Amino acid sequence: MVDKGRERKPVDVVLKSVSSFDGFIDVSEEKQERPDFVLRKDNQIIGLEHIEIPILPMNGQDIEKYFKNKSNKMYYDWKDIYFNHYQEVTKDIEGLINAKLDVYSKFTHNIYLENCARLLGVGPQKKAQCHKVYRTT
């Protein structure tokens, strides 16, 4: 399950900085999944769905998460034997850093915008329709 505190931070920024939300009260429930946040003002209700868009997609996930997973795997592979394999460990670390630098060197703003459009379900390379309307009775 997604960490609600992590989702909450960007939503709080929006709620504080967008005057259209003045007067709305957060009536979300902690374990509610869709929409992530529900705001109410008089008889008007707004549901907000949190979405995280990676800056650089790689292998279906954000580059930071991808390399964090690679780093963690490398750590556990070498943590108990690194002192006998110093050169191999150094080579693995160097390879990981170079791979990350290579991906960053290919970054363009257009790639980011295309990924945003794909994840939001707009444009020619739609992934999903993330913008949904939720009705309450």
Side-chain angles (χ1 to χ4, degrees), residues 80-122:
D80 295 326
I81 59 171
Y82 73 92
F83 47 86
N84 292 328
H85 302 276
Y86 182 77
Q87 288 191 351
E88 293 101 323
V89 173
T90 304
K91 192 172 186 173
D92 271 1
I93 293 170
E94 183 179 311
L96 188 66
I97 292 169
N98 285 334
K100 190 172 182 178
L101 289 172
D102 183 54
V103 172
Y104 273 111
S105 72
K106 294 174 183 168
F107 172 79
T108 68
H109 192 66
N110 282 344
I111 290 173
Y112 173 70
L113 292 176
E114 288 169 7
N115 190 45
C116 289
R118 184 179 63 84
L119 291 173
L120 293 170
V122 296

Side-chain angles (χ1 to χ4, degrees), residues 1-2 25 31 35 44 48 52 57 59 64 73 85-86 106-107 111-112 115 118 127 134:
M1 184 176 242
V2 178
I25 299 167
K31 298 206 184 246
Q44 186 178 7
L48 301 173
E52 188 174 321
N59 294 343
E64 292 302 324
K73 182 183 179 325
H85 302 276
Y86 182 77
K106 294 174 183 168
F107 172 79
I111 290 173
Y112 173 70
N115 190 45
R118 184 179 63 84
K127 177 182 180 189
Y134 300 95

Side-chain angles (χ1 to χ4, degrees), residues 5 7-18 26 37 48:
E7 285 185 345
R8 178 93 235 170
K9 287 178 184 179
V11 171
D12 285 340
V13 170
V14 169
L15 295 178
K16 288 178 185 173
S17 61
V18 178
D26 185 353
F37 300 97
L48 301 173

